[in-house]
Amino acid sequence: MLLAIDCGNTNTVFSLWDGARFIATWRTSTETQRTADQYYVWLSTLMKFQKIDAQITDMIISSTVPRVVFNLRVLADRYFNTRPLVVGKPDCALPVGVRVDAGTQVGPDRLVNTVAGYDLYGGDLIVVDFGTATTFDVVDEDGAYVGGVIAPGVNLSLMALHQAAAALPHVDITKPQQVVGTNTVTCMQSGVFWGYVGLVREICSRIKQERERPMKIIATGGLAPLFQQTDELFDAVEDTLTMHGLTVIHKFNQHED
């Protein structure tokens, strides 16, 4: 059984893959001080609660927070007697190329999304990930990662509005019923929602113009379904894109061995 772990700046996702499907997925907040023992107690409790009697034999990790990787490695070694694959490390091969400026480090999550997007949809893609940051990753016709765009995340923008302007409250993002707000909350929601619709549409349009070819737009991340409600902004929404990519990379490395 494969345990796939995607550690982001805000949340960490654990998924169990039986070789054909994910049998369980759990989410926890990302905390750099969480120990391997704490991870195991949390994970084993959830497995027991869901009556999952599975032996974890393999682990793969994608982490945008380097400080958590050590304790996840200890978790793999101490409790599952396995050496985890860590995306971005030399011993973790990728089934696609990476063509960026020399010396540039690409976030592991962006590489994993590239692998997943190419596996599911082929090349010439724009992968939009609504995470702590909103990222746009460009996948070439042969599946290679060739660069992208990083913008502030939606919730990050809302938080910045609330913290920087004393009179503005914290609000949840939602699709407003109309563009013109009639109170502070709806004004903020409209500005953020339609602002990000415009941001996504404009950036994707300019990427297509620059690449001079048709490209599919694939979205992932918690807020992707919300923005998909508007004018078919994306060709597809994949909630488990990153986790799928981890399984593809794991399988590729088994063949490499």
Side-chain angles (χ1 to χ4, degrees), residues 25-91:
T25 296
W26 304 287
R27 186 181 300 267
T28 185
S29 58
T30 299
E31 295 181 11
T32 57
Q33 296 181 337
R34 184 169 290 157
T35 66
D37 300 330
Q38 289 173 315
Y39 278 122
Y40 180 73
V41 169
W42 173 78
L43 187 62
S44 59
T45 300
L46 287 170
M47 291 177 66
K48 184 177 180 180
F49 178 76
Q50 293 185 221
K51 299 180 180 179
I52 297 173
D53 184 16
Q55 182 178 0
I56 295 171
T57 58
D58 297 89
M59 274 179 56
I60 184 167
I61 302 165
S62 169
S63 177
T64 58
V65 186
R67 289 177 59 191
V68 306
V69 174
F70 173 78
N71 283 321
L72 291 174
R73 285 186 181 273
V74 175
L75 170 71
D77 177 64
R78 180 179 298 168
Y79 291 104
F80 306 126
N81 193 31
T82 187
R83 178 184 175 88
L85 280 170
V86 180
V87 179
K89 298 300 182 182
D91 60 346

Side-chain angles (χ1 to χ4, degrees), residues 103-116:
T104 300
Q105 283 192 322
V106 182
D109 55 331
R110 306 180 76 179
L111 297 176
V112 175
N113 285 346
T114 295
V115 170

